[in-house]
């Protein structure tokens, strides 16, 4: 029966034969190339789309985003990289592995020393840890089948956060899926507008693992700091008559890391910030830093204080003088590890110092410094994973302090990053601190 009629009439039989022929054409013809059917290139496109959503829950591996070389200091580069990753995520594309900058960059573009991302951070480890959230790809992954579309990022006062977001939404549409690569041209991603909450940045930062070579150099510096601390405690105990040997000396000796921002260029910058923001809690003198660190409750002396300072301050012996009795300040020159740093360009030196500070038993920094802020953020995330949501009034592991803000007992203010902020911009202006 066909539509309730017998297939006896010639018309019905003819109609049935036509429908059967159409069905066979749809089913069988794609398997042949040419003949007006679907060609191999289109088949590849269909196949790649079906695979693009397999293990990454929506992060396509067949479409890519390319960004300009990332520049400036280490932590600004980390923010720029995370922002590029989150932009690629919004466009449902894999980020082509960007080039970082080995040298510190201000305006001397011709002096930039590019360095590959995978010379600093582990490529495969990043993709493993961030699987399903963001994805990195290599240029060798490109099939060069559908070309590149250049996207010019807006700039200037008229280019608002809303206009930037609208642009990204436009390029998320299917009409741009025909391009294998969207290449963003223009300014460094650090200067792009921010559309993502702090917690999204944290997810990207947690996937950044130093390559073994750099991590091992940081191990050497940390070991040297703890070795000096162990010698200090041993001498202190031996000078006390009748003192029993301290069994704790068999354990790693704790140390405090202080990110000491007192360079001339920083003081000029922070004074301008104070005037612009009408606040007085940004700049800190050497004397103020020393006094507040010495007033941290619970510090057991003798104790090593590692000073993370700019190389320009290594010849200034005054930064090692005037500390509270029982606190031994050291920096890389006094430790004898300056040779480790001198082997590498600026970016790697900064990465080593960042690792040394992030591993410290206590960290003290300036809440308006990007370097300090990202360390405090990382340590806050470690505490949260241990179930700690507030550090005020309690003894916790991985404590951080802001020496530029007065805290309890004339010490530095306890510092935990507020992970609920809607923008990473908050950490750049010292307001991203959980109050007690």
């Amino acid at each position: 029966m066909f539509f309730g009629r017998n297939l006896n009439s010639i018309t019905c039989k003819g109609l049935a034969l036509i429908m059967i022929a159409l069905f066979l054409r749809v089913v069988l013809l794609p398997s042949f190339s040419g003949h007006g059917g679907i060609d191999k290139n289109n088949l590849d496109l269909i196949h790649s789309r079906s695979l693009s959503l397999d293990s990454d829950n929506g992060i396509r591996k067949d479409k890519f985003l390319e960004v300009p070389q990332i520049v400036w200091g280490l932590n600004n580069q980390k923010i720029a990289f995370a922002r590029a990753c989150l932009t690629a995520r919004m466009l449902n594309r894999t980020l082509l592995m960007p080039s970082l900058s080995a040298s510190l960059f201000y305006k001397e573009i011709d002096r930039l020393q590019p360095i590959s991302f995978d010379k600093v951070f582990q490529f495969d480890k990043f993709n493993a840890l961030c699987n399903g959230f963001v994805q990195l790809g290599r240029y060798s992954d490109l099939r060069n089948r559908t070309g590149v579309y250049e996207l010019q990022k807006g700039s200037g006062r008229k280019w608002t956060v809303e206009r930037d977001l609208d642009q990204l939404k436009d390029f998320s549409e299917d009409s741009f899926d025909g391009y294998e690569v969207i290449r963003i041209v223009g300014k460094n991603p650090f200067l792009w507008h921010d559309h993502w909450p702090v917690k999204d940045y944290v997810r990207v930062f947690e996937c950044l693992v130093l390559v073994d070579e750099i991590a091992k150099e940081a191990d050497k510096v940390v070991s040297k700091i703890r070795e000096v601390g162990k010698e200090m405690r041993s001498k202190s105990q031996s000078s006390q008559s009748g003192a029993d040997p301290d069994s704790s000396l068999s354990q790693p000796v704790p140390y405090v890391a202080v990110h000491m921002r007192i360079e001339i260029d920083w003081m000029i910058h922070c004074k301008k910030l104070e005037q612009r923001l009408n606040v007085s809690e940004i700049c800190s003198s050497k004397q103020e830093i020393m006094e507040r660190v010495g007033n941290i409750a619970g510090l057991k002396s003798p104790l090593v204080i590692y000073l993370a300072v700019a190389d320009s301050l290594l010849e200034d012996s005054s930064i090692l003088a005037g500390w509270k009795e029982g606190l031994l300040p050291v920096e890389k020159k006094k430790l004898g590890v300056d040779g480790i740093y001198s082997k590498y360009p600026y970016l790697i030196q900064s990465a080593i110092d960042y690792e040394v500070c992030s591993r410290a038993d206590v960290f003290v920094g300036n809440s308006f410094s990007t370097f300090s802020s990202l360390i405090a953020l990382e340590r806050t995330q470690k505490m949260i994973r241990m179930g700690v949501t507030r550090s005020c009034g309690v003894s916790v592991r991985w404590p951080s302090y802001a020496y530029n803000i007065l805290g309890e007992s004339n010490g530095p203010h306890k510092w935990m990053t507020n992970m609920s902020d809607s923008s990473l911009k908050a950490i750049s202006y010292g307001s991203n601190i959980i109050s007690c």
Side-chain angles (χ1 to χ4, degrees):
M1 297 292 292
F2 184 71
F3 293 112
R5 299 173 178 265
N6 289 324
L7 291 177
N8 293 329
S9 68
I10 296 176
T11 302
C12 289
K13 289 180 179 179
L15 185 58
L17 289 174
I18 291 173
M19 292 185 70
I20 292 171
L22 288 173
F23 175 78
L24 292 175
R25 182 175 184 274
V26 170
V27 172
L28 299 178
L29 194 57
S31 63
F32 301 95
S33 60
H35 306 292
I38 301 175
D39 62 22
K40 185 177 185 299
N41 288 350
N42 287 333
L43 273 177
D44 285 345
L45 181 61
I46 292 172
H47 181 63
S48 66
R49 281 194 175 188
S50 68
L51 293 178
S52 65
L53 304 178
D54 53 359
S55 63
D56 283 335
N57 300 323
I59 305 299
R60 296 177 300 184
K61 294 182 180 180
D62 63 326
K63 302 294 179 182
F64 302 89
L65 181 73
E66 183 180 2
V67 300
Q69 179 176 346
I70 294 173
V71 298
W72 292 2
L74 168 69
N75 293 287
N76 288 339
Q77 290 191 53
K78 288 169 70 174
I79 291 173
F81 171 76
R83 194 159 290 168
C85 284
L86 295 172
T87 301
R89 172 179 168 81
M90 184 171 182
L91 300 178
N92 194 12
R93 288 173 174 263
T94 292
L95 178 67
L96 285 172
M97 184 176 69
S99 176
L100 305 177
S101 296
S103 55
L104 185 61
F105 168 77
Y106 286 107
K107 295 181 180 179
E108 303 86 356
I109 298 177
D110 57 322
R111 295 177 62 187
L112 274 179
Q113 299 174 28
I115 184 171
S116 178
F117 172 89
D118 58 2
K119 297 297 182 183
V120 183
F121 302 104
Q122 296 184 37
F123 178 91
D124 293 332
K125 189 75 170 180
F126 179 88
N127 277 341
L129 293 174
C130 267
N131 182 37
F133 186 64
V134 294
Q135 179 79 24
L136 267 185
R138 298 183 184 276
Y139 281 84
S140 58
D141 297 332
L142 296 178
R143 303 169 71 185
N144 297 319
R145 193 178 297 279
T146 56
V148 176
Y149 186 94
E150 289 199 345
L151 167 61
Q152 180 70 49
K153 269 276 185 179
S155 61
R157 292 184 179 180
K158 293 184 178 180
W159 190 257
T160 62
V161 175
E162 292 74 22
R163 291 188 67 181
D164 188 79
L165 185 59
D166 287 341
Q167 183 189 56
L168 291 180
K169 289 179 178 177
D170 288 342
F171 279 83
S172 302
E173 300 296 330
D174 293 341
S175 56
F176 291 95
D177 276 354
Y179 296 97
E180 183 181 22
V181 177
I182 291 179
R183 176 186 296 145
I184 297 183
V185 295
K187 56 190 178 182
N188 166 39
F190 177 69
L191 298 176
W192 294 355
H193 285 299
D194 184 11
H195 307 294
W196 301 277
V198 170
K199 62 182 180 64
D200 283 358
Y201 282 93
V202 172
R203 288 194 65 180
V204 177
F205 293 149
E206 284 189 302
C207 301
L208 292 172
V209 179
L210 291 174
V211 296
D212 290 342
E213 179 186 357
I214 301 175
K216 288 178 181 177
E217 299 289 34
D219 289 342
K220 295 176 185 176
V221 178
V222 172
S223 294
K224 186 64 177 177
I225 295 171
R226 296 196 189 279
E227 180 184 321
V228 170
K230 189 173 183 178
E231 291 174 359
M232 261 186 80
R233 292 203 168 183
S234 179
K235 290 179 180 178
S236 174
Q237 288 181 9
S238 63
S239 65
Q240 298 174 11
S241 58
D244 295 326
D246 189 350
S247 60
S248 66
L249 286 178
S250 61
Q251 303 296 321
V253 177
Y255 69 95
V256 176
V258 179
H259 182 219
M260 204 167 185
R261 296 306 311 266
I262 56 173
E263 309 92 333
I264 294 176
D265 60 338
W266 165 259
M267 298 305 288
I268 294 173
H269 169 68
C270 73
K271 287 294 184 184
K272 289 181 178 179
L273 266 180
E274 285 186 338
Q275 292 175 1
R276 188 168 79 243
L277 300 177
N278 194 27
V279 297
S280 59
E281 292 183 328
I282 302 179
C283 304
S284 291
S285 66
K286 178 188 67 175
Q287 189 64 32
E288 183 178 71
I289 295 172
M290 291 190 298
E291 288 178 0
R292 290 186 177 176
V293 171
N295 289 330
I296 295 177
L299 291 186
K300 296 181 179 180
S301 61
L303 187 65
V304 174
I305 308 293
Y306 175 72
L307 305 180
V309 297
D311 286 350
S312 60
L313 296 175
L314 294 182
E315 302 301 326
D316 181 7
S317 59
S318 68
I319 64 171
L320 301 177
W323 291 81
K324 184 178 179 180
E325 185 178 356
L327 302 182
L328 176 64
V330 297
E331 30 73 35
K332 49 183 175 279
K333 184 177 180 181
K334 184 171 182 178
L335 281 174
V337 297
D338 48 327
I340 292 177
Y341 289 83
S342 62
K343 295 187 299 183
Y344 299 100
Y346 169 82
L347 185 73
I348 307 301
Q349 293 183 30
S350 187
I352 295 172
D353 241 14
Y354 182 95
E355 191 72 8
V356 173
C357 288
S358 67
R359 296 187 197 178
D361 298 88
V362 177
F363 172 72
V364 192
N366 188 299
S367 64
F368 280 78
S369 160
T370 306
F371 184 97
S372 293
S373 295
L374 290 194
I375 290 176
L377 180 147
E378 179 180 317
R379 292 166 69 89
T380 296
Q381 183 66 3
K382 289 179 180 179
M383 287 194 285
I384 289 174
R385 292 197 179 282
M386 296 170 62
V388 178
T389 57
R390 288 186 179 273
S391 63
C392 303
V394 295
S395 178
V396 296
R397 193 179 179 191
W398 308 114
S400 299
Y401 295 84
Y403 56 66
N404 57 302
I405 303 175
L406 184 62
E408 298 175 356
S409 304
N410 291 320
H413 192 285
K414 282 194 173 182
W415 185 359
M416 281 189 73
T417 304
N418 184 359
M419 296 294 191
S420 64
D421 266 312
S422 60
S423 168
L424 194 71
K425 184 179 179 180
I427 77 166
S428 300
Y429 293 94
S431 60
N432 193 271
I433 297 179
I434 296 176
S435 299
C436 293

